[in-house]
Coordinates of all heavy atoms in Angstrom, one line a residue:
K19 N 160.4 -30.0 53.7 CA 161.5 -30.2 54.7 C 162.8 -30.5 53.9 O 162.8 -31.4 53.0 CB 161.1 -31.4 55.6 CG 161.9 -31.6 56.8 CD 161.3 -32.6 57.7 CE 162.2 -32.7 58.9 NZ 161.7 -33.6 59.9
G20 N 163.8 -29.9 54.3 CA 165.1 -30.1 53.6 C 165.9 -31.3 54.1 O 165.5 -32.0 55.0
E21 N 167.0 -31.6 53.4 CA 167.8 -32.7 53.7 C 168.6 -32.4 55.0 O 169.0 -31.3 55.3 CB 168.8 -32.8 52.6 CG 169.9 -33.9 52.8 CD 170.9 -33.9 51.7 OE1 170.7 -33.3 50.7 OE2 171.9 -34.7 51.8
A22 N 168.7 -33.4 55.9 CA 169.5 -33.3 57.1 C 171.0 -33.2 56.8 O 171.5 -33.8 55.8 CB 169.3 -34.6 58.0
V23 N 171.6 -32.3 57.5 CA 173.1 -32.1 57.3 C 173.8 -33.3 57.9 O 173.7 -33.6 59.1 CB 173.5 -30.8 58.0 CG1 175.1 -30.7 57.9 CG2 172.9 -29.6 57.3
S24 N 174.5 -34.0 57.0 CA 175.3 -35.1 57.5 C 176.4 -35.4 56.5 O 176.2 -35.1 55.3 CB 174.5 -36.4 57.7 OG 174.0 -36.9 56.4
G25 N 177.5 -35.9 57.0 CA 178.6 -36.2 56.1 C 179.8 -36.6 56.9 O 179.9 -36.3 58.1
K26 N 180.8 -37.2 56.2 CA 182.0 -37.5 56.9 C 183.2 -36.8 56.1 O 183.4 -37.1 55.0 CB 182.2 -39.1 56.8 CG 181.2 -39.8 57.6 CD 181.4 -41.3 57.5 CE 180.4 -42.0 58.3 NZ 180.6 -43.5 58.3
A27 N 183.8 -35.9 56.9 CA 184.9 -35.2 56.3 C 186.1 -36.2 56.1 O 186.4 -37.0 56.9 CB 185.3 -34.1 57.2
T28 N 186.7 -36.1 54.9 CA 187.9 -37.0 54.6 C 189.2 -36.2 54.8 O 190.2 -36.8 54.5 CB 187.7 -37.6 53.2 OG1 187.8 -36.5 52.3 CG2 186.5 -38.3 53.1
F29 N 189.2 -35.0 55.1 CA 190.4 -34.2 55.3 C 191.2 -34.7 56.5 O 190.7 -35.0 57.5 CB 190.2 -32.7 55.4 CG 189.4 -32.2 54.3 CD1 188.0 -31.8 54.4 CD2 189.9 -32.0 53.0 CE1 187.3 -31.3 53.4 CE2 189.2 -31.5 51.9 CZ 187.9 -31.1 52.1
S30 N 192.5 -34.8 56.3 CA 193.4 -35.4 57.4 C 193.4 -34.5 58.6 O 193.7 -35.1 59.7 CB 194.8 -35.6 56.8 OG 195.4 -34.3 56.5
D31 N 193.1 -33.3 58.5 CA 193.2 -32.4 59.7 C 191.8 -32.0 60.3 O 191.7 -31.1 61.1 CB 194.0 -31.1 59.4 CG 193.4 -30.3 58.3 OD1 192.5 -30.9 57.5 OD2 193.8 -29.2 58.1
V32 N 190.8 -32.7 59.9 CA 189.4 -32.5 60.5 C 189.1 -33.7 61.4 O 188.9 -34.8 61.0 CB 188.4 -32.3 59.4 CG1 187.0 -32.1 60.0 CG2 188.7 -31.1 58.5
N33 N 189.1 -33.4 62.7 CA 188.8 -34.4 63.7 C 187.3 -34.8 63.7 O 186.4 -33.9 63.7 CB 189.2 -33.8 65.1 CG 189.2 -34.9 66.2 OD1 188.2 -35.6 66.3 ND2 190.2 -34.9 67.0
S34 N 187.0 -36.1 63.8 CA 185.7 -36.5 63.8 C 184.9 -36.1 65.1 O 183.7 -36.1 65.1 CB 185.6 -38.1 63.7 OG 186.2 -38.6 64.8
K35 N 185.6 -35.6 66.1 CA 184.9 -35.1 67.3 C 184.7 -33.6 67.2 O 184.0 -33.0 68.1 CB 185.8 -35.4 68.5 CG 185.9 -36.9 68.7 CD 186.6 -37.2 70.0 CE 186.9 -38.7 70.2 NZ 185.9 -39.6 70.0
S36 N 185.1 -33.0 66.2 CA 184.9 -31.5 66.0 C 183.4 -31.2 65.8 O 182.7 -32.0 65.1 CB 185.7 -31.0 64.8 OG 185.3 -29.7 64.4
W37 N 183.0 -30.1 66.3 CA 181.6 -29.7 66.1 C 181.3 -29.5 64.6 O 180.2 -29.6 64.1 CB 181.3 -28.4 66.8 CG 182.0 -27.2 66.3 CD1 183.2 -26.7 66.7 CD2 181.6 -26.3 65.2 NE1 183.6 -25.6 65.9 CE2 182.6 -25.4 65.0 CE3 180.5 -26.3 64.4 CZ2 182.5 -24.4 64.0 CZ3 180.4 -25.3 63.4 CH2 181.4 -24.3 63.3
A38 N 182.3 -29.1 63.8 CA 182.1 -28.8 62.4 C 182.2 -30.0 61.5 O 182.0 -29.9 60.3 CB 183.1 -27.8 62.0
Y39 N 182.6 -31.2 62.0 CA 182.9 -32.4 61.2 C 181.8 -32.7 60.2 O 182.0 -32.9 59.0 CB 183.2 -33.6 62.2 CG 183.5 -34.9 61.5 CD1 184.7 -35.1 60.9 CD2 182.5 -35.8 61.3 CE1 185.0 -36.3 60.3 CE2 182.8 -37.0 60.7 CZ 184.0 -37.3 60.2 OH 184.3 -38.4 59.5
K40 N 180.6 -32.8 60.7 CA 179.5 -33.2 59.8 C 179.2 -32.1 58.7 O 178.8 -32.4 57.6 CB 178.2 -33.6 60.5 CG 177.5 -32.5 61.2 CD 176.2 -33.1 61.9 CE 175.4 -32.0 62.6 NZ 174.2 -32.5 63.2
Y41 N 179.4 -30.9 59.1 CA 179.1 -29.7 58.2 C 180.2 -29.7 57.1 O 179.9 -29.5 55.9 CB 179.1 -28.4 58.9 CG 178.0 -28.4 60.0 CD1 178.3 -28.5 61.3 CD2 176.7 -28.2 59.7 CE1 177.3 -28.5 62.3 CE2 175.7 -28.2 60.6 CZ 176.0 -28.4 61.9 OH 175.0 -28.4 62.9
I42 N 181.4 -29.9 57.5 CA 182.5 -29.9 56.5 C 182.3 -31.2 55.6 O 182.5 -31.0 54.4 CB 183.9 -30.0 57.3 CG1 184.1 -28.7 58.0 CG2 185.0 -30.3 56.3 CD1 185.3 -28.7 58.9
G43 N 182.0 -32.3 56.2 CA 181.7 -33.5 55.4 C 180.5 -33.3 54.4 O 180.6 -33.8 53.3
Y44 N 179.5 -32.6 54.9 CA 178.3 -32.4 54.0 C 178.7 -31.5 52.8 O 178.4 -31.8 51.7 CB 177.2 -31.7 54.8 CG 176.0 -31.4 54.1 CD1 175.0 -32.4 53.9 CD2 175.7 -30.1 53.6 CE1 173.8 -32.1 53.2 CE2 174.5 -29.8 52.9 CZ 173.6 -30.8 52.7 OH 172.4 -30.6 52.1
L45 N 179.5 -30.4 53.1 CA 179.9 -29.5 52.0 C 180.9 -30.2 51.1 O 180.9 -30.0 49.9 CB 180.5 -28.2 52.6 CG 179.5 -27.4 53.3 CD1 180.2 -26.2 54.0 CD2 178.4 -26.9 52.4
E46 N 181.7 -31.1 51.6 CA 182.7 -31.8 50.8 C 181.9 -32.8 49.9 O 182.3 -33.0 48.7 CB 183.6 -32.6 51.8 CG 184.7 -33.4 51.0 CD 185.6 -34.2 52.0 OE1 185.3 -34.2 53.2 OE2 186.5 -34.8 51.5
K47 N 180.9 -33.4 50.5 CA 180.1 -34.4 49.7 C 179.5 -33.8 48.4 O 179.5 -34.5 47.4 CB 179.0 -35.0 50.6 CG 178.0 -35.9 49.9 CD 177.1 -36.6 50.9 CE 176.2 -35.6 51.6 NZ 175.1 -36.3 52.5
Y48 N 179.2 -32.5 48.5 CA 178.6 -31.9 47.3 C 179.6 -31.0 46.6 O 179.2 -30.2 45.8 CB 177.4 -31.0 47.8 CG 176.2 -31.9 48.2 CD1 175.9 -32.1 49.5 CD2 175.5 -32.6 47.2 CE1 174.8 -33.0 49.9 CE2 174.4 -33.4 47.6 CZ 174.1 -33.6 48.9 OH 173.1 -34.4 49.2
D49 N 180.9 -31.2 46.8 CA 181.9 -30.5 46.2 C 181.8 -28.9 46.3 O 182.3 -28.2 45.4 CB 182.0 -30.8 44.7 CG 182.5 -32.3 44.5 OD1 183.3 -32.7 45.2 OD2 182.0 -32.9 43.5
I50 N 181.3 -28.5 47.4 CA 181.2 -27.1 47.7 C 182.5 -26.6 48.3 O 182.9 -25.5 48.0 CB 180.0 -26.7 48.6 CG1 178.7 -27.1 47.8 CG2 180.0 -25.3 49.0 CD1 177.4 -27.0 48.6
I51 N 183.1 -27.5 49.0 CA 184.5 -27.2 49.5 C 185.4 -28.3 49.0 O 184.9 -29.4 48.9 CB 184.5 -27.1 51.1 CG1 184.0 -28.3 51.7 CG2 183.8 -25.8 51.5 CD1 184.2 -28.4 53.2
K52 N 186.6 -28.0 48.8 CA 187.6 -29.0 48.2 C 188.8 -29.2 49.0 O 189.5 -30.2 48.9 CB 187.9 -28.6 46.8 CG 186.7 -28.6 45.8 CD 187.2 -28.3 44.4 CE 186.0 -28.3 43.5 NZ 186.4 -28.2 42.1
G53 N 189.2 -28.3 49.9 CA 190.4 -28.4 50.6 C 191.6 -28.1 49.8 O 191.5 -27.6 48.7
Y54 N 192.7 -28.5 50.3 CA 194.0 -28.2 49.7 C 194.6 -29.5 49.1 O 194.2 -30.6 49.4 CB 195.0 -27.6 50.7 CG 194.5 -26.3 51.2 CD1 193.7 -26.2 52.3 CD2 195.0 -25.1 50.6 CE1 193.3 -24.9 52.8 CE2 194.5 -23.9 51.0 CZ 193.7 -23.8 52.1 OH 193.2 -22.6 52.6
N55 N 195.6 -29.3 48.2 CA 196.2 -30.4 47.4 C 196.8 -31.4 48.3 O 197.0 -32.6 47.9 CB 197.2 -29.9 46.4 CG 196.5 -29.2 45.3 OD1 195.4 -29.4 45.0 ND2 197.2 -28.3 44.6
D56 N 197.2 -31.0 49.5 CA 197.9 -32.0 50.5 C 196.9 -32.8 51.3 O 197.3 -33.5 52.2 CB 198.9 -31.2 51.4 CG 198.2 -30.2 52.3 OD1 196.9 -30.0 52.2 OD2 198.9 -29.6 53.1
G57 N 195.6 -32.7 51.0 CA 194.6 -33.5 51.7 C 194.1 -32.8 53.0 O 193.3 -33.5 53.7
T58 N 194.4 -31.6 53.2 CA 194.0 -30.9 54.4 C 192.9 -29.9 54.1 O 192.7 -29.5 52.9 CB 195.1 -30.1 55.1 OG1 195.6 -29.1 54.2 CG2 196.3 -31.1 55.5
F59 N 192.2 -29.5 55.2 CA 191.2 -28.5 55.0 C 191.6 -27.2 55.7 O 191.1 -26.1 55.4 CB 189.9 -29.0 55.7 CG 188.7 -28.0 55.6 CD1 188.2 -27.7 54.4 CD2 188.2 -27.5 56.8 CE1 187.1 -26.7 54.4 CE2 187.2 -26.5 56.7 CZ 186.6 -26.2 55.5
R60 N 192.4 -27.3 56.7 CA 192.9 -26.2 57.5 C 191.7 -25.4 58.2 O 191.5 -24.2 57.9 CB 193.8 -25.2 56.7 CG 194.9 -26.0 56.0 CD 195.8 -25.1 55.1 NE 196.7 -26.0 54.4 CZ 197.4 -25.6 53.3 NH1 197.3 -24.3 52.9 NH2 198.2 -26.4 52.7
P61 N 191.0 -26.1 59.0 CA 189.8 -25.5 59.6 C 190.0 -24.3 60.5 O 189.1 -23.5 60.7 CB 189.2 -26.7 60.4 CG 190.4 -27.6 60.7 CD 191.3 -27.4 59.5
D62 N 191.2 -24.1 60.9 CA 191.5 -22.9 61.8 C 192.1 -21.7 61.0 O 192.3 -20.7 61.6 CB 192.4 -23.3 62.9 CG 191.8 -24.3 63.9 OD1 190.6 -24.2 64.1 OD2 192.5 -25.2 64.3
A63 N 192.3 -21.9 59.7 CA 192.8 -20.8 58.9 C 191.8 -19.8 58.5 O 190.6 -20.2 58.4 CB 193.5 -21.4 57.6
E64 N 192.2 -18.6 58.2 CA 191.3 -17.6 57.7 C 190.9 -18.0 56.3 O 191.6 -18.5 55.5 CB 191.9 -16.2 57.7 CG 192.1 -15.7 59.1 CD 192.7 -14.3 59.1 OE1 192.6 -13.6 58.0 OE2 193.2 -13.8 60.1
V65 N 189.6 -17.7 55.9 CA 189.1 -18.0 54.6 C 189.4 -16.7 53.7 O 189.0 -15.6 54.1 CB 187.6 -18.3 54.6 CG1 187.1 -18.6 53.2 CG2 187.3 -19.5 55.6
S66 N 190.0 -16.9 52.6 CA 190.3 -15.8 51.7 C 189.1 -15.4 50.9 O 188.1 -16.1 50.8 CB 191.4 -16.2 50.7 OG 190.9 -17.1 49.7
Y67 N 189.1 -14.2 50.4 CA 188.1 -13.7 49.5 C 187.8 -14.6 48.3 O 186.7 -14.9 48.0 CB 188.6 -12.3 49.0 CG 187.6 -11.6 48.0 CD1 186.5 -11.0 48.5 CD2 187.9 -11.5 46.7 CE1 185.6 -10.4 47.6 CE2 187.1 -10.9 45.8 CZ 185.9 -10.3 46.3 OH 185.1 -9.7 45.4
A68 N 188.8 -15.1 47.7 CA 188.7 -16.0 46.6 C 188.0 -17.3 47.0 O 187.1 -17.8 46.3 CB 190.0 -16.3 46.0
E69 N 188.4 -17.8 48.2 CA 187.7 -19.1 48.7 C 186.2 -18.9 49.0 O 185.4 -19.7 48.6 CB 188.5 -19.6 49.9 CG 189.8 -20.1 49.7 CD 190.7 -20.3 50.9 OE1 190.4 -19.6 51.9 OE2 191.6 -21.1 50.8
V70 N 185.9 -17.7 49.5 CA 184.5 -17.4 49.8 C 183.7 -17.3 48.5 O 182.6 -17.9 48.4 CB 184.3 -16.1 50.6 CG1 182.9 -15.6 50.6 CG2 184.9 -16.2 52.0
I71 N 184.3 -16.7 47.5 CA 183.6 -16.6 46.2 C 183.4 -18.0 45.6 O 182.3 -18.3 45.1 CB 184.4 -15.7 45.2 CG1 184.2 -14.3 45.7 CG2 183.9 -15.8 43.8 CD1 185.1 -13.3 45.0
A72 N 184.4 -18.8 45.7 CA 184.3 -20.2 45.1 C 183.2 -21.0 45.8 O 182.4 -21.7 45.2 CB 185.7 -20.9 45.2
I73 N 183.2 -20.9 47.2 CA 182.2 -21.6 48.0 C 180.8 -21.1 47.6 O 179.9 -22.0 47.4 CB 182.5 -21.4 49.5 CG1 183.8 -22.2 49.8 CG2 181.3 -21.9 50.3 CD1 184.3 -21.9 51.2
I74 N 180.6 -19.9 47.5 CA 179.3 -19.3 47.2 C 178.8 -19.8 45.8 O 177.7 -20.2 45.6 CB 179.3 -17.8 47.3 CG1 179.4 -17.4 48.8 CG2 178.0 -17.2 46.7 CD1 179.6 -15.9 49.0
L75 N 179.7 -19.6 44.8 CA 179.4 -20.0 43.5 C 179.1 -21.5 43.3 O 178.1 -21.9 42.7 CB 180.4 -19.6 42.5 CG 180.5 -18.1 42.2 CD1 181.7 -17.8 41.3 CD2 179.3 -17.5 41.7
R76 N 179.9 -22.3 44.0 CA 179.6 -23.8 44.0 C 178.3 -24.1 44.6 O 177.5 -24.9 44.2 CB 180.7 -24.6 44.7 CG 182.1 -24.6 43.9 CD 183.1 -25.3 44.7 NE 184.4 -25.0 44.3 CZ 185.5 -24.9 45.1 NH1 185.3 -25.0 46.4 NH2 186.7 -24.6 44.6
G77 N 178.0 -23.4 45.8 CA 176.7 -23.6 46.5 C 175.5 -23.2 45.6 O 174.5 -23.7 45.8
L78 N 175.7 -22.2 44.7 CA 174.7 -21.8 43.8 C 174.5 -22.7 42.6 O 173.7 -22.4 41.8 CB 174.9 -20.3 43.4 CG 174.7 -19.3 44.5 CD1 175.2 -17.9 44.0 CD2 173.3 -19.2 45.0
G79 N 175.4 -23.6 42.5 CA 175.3 -24.6 41.4 C 176.3 -24.3 40.2 O 176.3 -25.0 39.2
Y80 N 177.2 -23.4 40.4 CA 178.2 -23.2 39.3 C 179.4 -24.1 39.6 O 180.4 -23.8 40.2 CB 178.7 -21.7 39.4 CG 177.6 -20.7 39.0 CD1 176.9 -20.1 40.0 CD2 177.4 -20.4 37.7 CE1 175.9 -19.2 39.6 CE2 176.4 -19.5 37.3 CZ 175.6 -18.9 38.3 OH 174.7 -18.0 37.9
V81 N 179.2 -25.3 39.1 CA 180.2 -26.4 39.4 C 181.2 -26.7 38.3 O 182.1 -27.4 38.5 CB 179.4 -27.7 39.8 CG1 178.7 -27.5 41.1 CG2 178.5 -28.2 38.7
N82 N 181.0 -26.1 37.1 CA 181.9 -26.4 36.0 C 182.9 -25.3 35.7 O 183.2 -25.1 34.6 CB 181.1 -26.8 34.8 CG 180.3 -28.1 34.9 OD1 180.8 -29.0 35.5 ND2 179.1 -28.1 34.4
I83 N 183.3 -24.6 36.7 CA 184.3 -23.5 36.6 C 185.7 -24.1 36.5 O 186.1 -24.9 37.4 CB 184.1 -22.5 37.7 CG1 182.7 -21.9 37.6 CG2 185.2 -21.4 37.6 CD1 182.4 -20.9 38.7
D84 N 186.4 -23.8 35.5 CA 187.8 -24.3 35.2 C 188.7 -23.7 36.2 O 188.9 -22.5 36.3 CB 188.2 -24.0 33.8 CG 189.5 -24.7 33.4 OD1 190.1 -25.4 34.3 OD2 189.9 -24.6 32.3
E85 N 189.4 -24.5 37.0 CA 190.4 -24.0 38.0 C 191.8 -24.0 37.4 O 192.8 -23.8 38.2 CB 190.3 -24.8 39.3 CG 189.0 -24.7 40.0 CD 188.9 -25.4 41.3 OE1 189.9 -26.0 41.7 OE2 187.8 -25.4 41.9
T86 N 192.0 -24.4 36.2 CA 193.3 -24.5 35.6 C 193.6 -23.5 34.5 O 194.7 -23.5 33.9 CB 193.5 -25.9 35.1 OG1 192.6 -26.2 34.0 CG2 193.4 -26.9 36.2
S87 N 192.6 -22.7 34.1 CA 192.8 -21.9 32.9 C 193.2 -20.5 33.1 O 193.4 -19.7 32.2 CB 191.4 -21.8 32.1 OG 190.5 -21.1 32.9
G88 N 193.5 -20.1 34.3 CA 193.9 -18.7 34.6 C 195.3 -18.7 35.2 O 196.0 -19.7 35.4
T89 N 195.7 -17.5 35.7 CA 197.0 -17.4 36.3 C 196.9 -18.0 37.8 O 198.0 -18.3 38.4 CB 197.4 -16.0 36.4 OG1 196.4 -15.2 37.0 CG2 197.7 -15.4 35.0
T90 N 195.7 -18.1 38.3 CA 195.5 -18.7 39.7 C 194.3 -19.6 39.6 O 193.5 -19.6 38.7 CB 195.2 -17.6 40.7 OG1 194.0 -16.9 40.3 CG2 196.3 -16.6 40.8
W91 N 194.2 -20.5 40.6 CA 193.1 -21.5 40.6 C 191.7 -20.8 40.6 O 190.7 -21.3 40.2 CB 193.2 -22.4 41.8 CG 193.0 -21.8 43.1 CD1 193.9 -21.3 44.0 CD2 191.7 -21.6 43.8 NE1 193.3 -20.7 45.1 CE2 191.9 -21.0 45.0 CE3 190.4 -21.9 43.4 CZ2 190.9 -20.6 45.9 CZ3 189.4 -21.6 44.3 CH2 189.7 -20.9 45.5
Y92 N 191.7 -19.6 41.2 CA 190.4 -18.9 41.4 C 190.1 -17.9 40.3 O 189.0 -17.3 40.3 CB 190.4 -18.2 42.7 CG 191.5 -17.2 43.0 CD1 191.5 -15.9 42.5 CD2 192.6 -17.6 43.7 CE1 192.5 -15.1 42.7 CE2 193.7 -16.8 43.9 CZ 193.6 -15.5 43.5 OH 194.6 -14.6 43.7
S93 N 190.9 -17.8 39.3 CA 190.6 -16.8 38.2 C 189.2 -17.0 37.5 O 188.5 -16.1 37.3 CB 191.7 -16.9 37.1 OG 192.9 -16.6 37.6
G94 N 188.9 -18.3 37.3 CA 187.6 -18.6 36.7 C 186.4 -18.2 37.6 O 185.3 -17.8 37.1
Y95 N 186.6 -18.3 38.9 CA 185.5 -17.9 39.8 C 185.3 -16.4 39.9 O 184.2 -15.9 39.9 CB 185.9 -18.4 41.2 CG 185.8 -19.9 41.4 CD1 186.9 -20.7 41.3 CD2 184.6 -20.6 41.5 CE1 186.9 -22.1 41.4 CE2 184.5 -22.0 41.6 CZ 185.6 -22.7 41.5 OH 185.6 -24.1 41.6
I96 N 186.4 -15.7 39.9 CA 186.3 -14.2 39.8 C 185.7 -13.8 38.5 O 184.8 -12.9 38.6 CB 187.7 -13.6 40.0 CG1 188.4 -14.0 41.3 CG2 187.6 -12.1 39.9 CD1 187.7 -13.6 42.6
K97 N 186.1 -14.3 37.4 CA 185.5 -14.0 36.2 C 184.0 -14.3 36.2 O 183.2 -13.4 35.7 CB 186.2 -14.8 35.0 CG 185.6 -14.5 33.7 CD 186.3 -15.3 32.6 CE 185.7 -15.1 31.3 NZ 186.1 -16.0 30.2
R98 N 183.6 -15.4 36.6 CA 182.2 -15.8 36.7 C 181.4 -14.9 37.6 O 180.3 -14.5 37.3 CB 182.0 -17.2 37.1 CG 180.5 -17.7 37.2 CD 179.8 -17.7 35.8 NE 180.5 -18.3 34.8 CZ 180.3 -19.6 34.5 NH1 179.4 -20.3 35.1 NH2 181.0 -20.2 33.5
M99 N 182.0 -14.5 38.7 CA 181.3 -13.6 39.6 C 181.0 -12.2 38.9 O 179.9 -11.7 39.1 CB 182.2 -13.3 40.8 CG 181.6 -12.3 41.8 SD 182.8 -11.7 43.1 CE 183.9 -10.8 42.1
F100 N 181.9 -11.7 38.2 CA 181.7 -10.5 37.5 C 180.7 -10.6 36.3 O 179.9 -9.7 36.0 CB 183.0 -9.9 37.0 CG 183.8 -9.2 38.0 CD1 184.9 -9.7 38.5 CD2 183.3 -8.0 38.6 CE1 185.7 -9.1 39.5 CE2 184.0 -7.4 39.6 CZ 185.2 -7.9 40.1
E101 N 180.6 -11.8 35.7 CA 179.7 -12.1 34.7 C 178.2 -12.1 35.3 O 177.3 -11.6 34.7 CB 179.9 -13.4 34.0 CG 181.2 -13.4 33.1 CD 181.5 -14.8 32.7 OE1 180.9 -15.8 33.1 OE2 182.5 -14.9 31.9
I102 N 178.1 -12.7 36.4 CA 176.8 -12.8 37.1 C 176.4 -11.4 37.5 O 175.2 -11.0 37.4 CB 176.9 -13.7 38.3 CG1 177.1 -15.1 37.9 CG2 175.6 -13.6 39.2 CD1 177.4 -16.1 39.0
D103 N 177.3 -10.6 38.0 CA 177.0 -9.3 38.5 C 176.7 -8.3 37.4 O 176.1 -7.3 37.6 CB 178.1 -8.8 39.4 CG 177.8 -7.5 40.2 OD1 176.6 -7.4 40.6 OD2 178.6 -6.6 40.3
G104 N 177.2 -8.6 36.2 CA 177.0 -7.8 35.1 C 177.9 -6.6 35.0 O 177.7 -5.6 34.3
I105 N 179.0 -6.7 35.7 CA 179.9 -5.5 35.7 C 180.8 -5.6 34.5 O 181.2 -6.6 34.1 CB 180.8 -5.6 37.0 CG1 179.9 -5.4 38.2 CG2 181.9 -4.6 37.0 CD1 180.7 -5.5 39.5

């Protein structure tokens, strides 16, 4: 039996009454999602390709990817994705 999904989202724009609150908090607790530098999560925004890759890789345990060493925050995630795929 797995762990129950629970958590408290700390993002300023995630309402505690939202259906997604505990899920966002759970993913935040395990650093699978990080939100934006301004402390928001933007729950109604579209998720970019780069954000999806980052979420998937973090969920798979790739947590030590440098977000500062490329031209964009997600350069390391894209590089790691191609390394895993063997392309």
Side-chain angles (χ1 to χ4, degrees):
K19 190 171 182 178
E21 176 183 353
V23 174
S24 66
K26 295 181 179 181
T28 63
F29 302 110
S30 62
D31 60 345
V32 177
N33 187 314
S34 63
K35 297 186 187 313
S36 168
W37 68 269
Y39 179 78
K40 70 177 181 180
Y41 301 103
I42 293 169
Y44 182 81
L45 295 173
E46 182 184 5
K47 175 171 62 173
Y48 290 104
D49 291 325
I50 294 172
I51 59 172
K52 296 185 178 184
Y54 294 88
N55 290 336
D56 64 358
T58 63
F59 179 68
R60 303 176 192 168
D62 296 323
E64 291 185 15
V65 181
S66 73
Y67 178 74
E69 291 167 334
V70 169
I71 290 172
I73 291 167
I74 290 169
L75 289 177
R76 290 179 197 140
L78 291 171
Y80 295 95
V81 294
N82 294 322
I83 296 175
D84 187 359
E85 295 183 4
T86 62
S87 66
T89 56
T90 61
W91 70 267
Y92 55 83
S93 296
Y95 291 98
I96 301 297
K97 180 181 176 190
R98 180 60 55 92
M99 176 191 69
F100 283 110
E101 290 170 355
I102 293 168
D103 191 40
I105 295 176

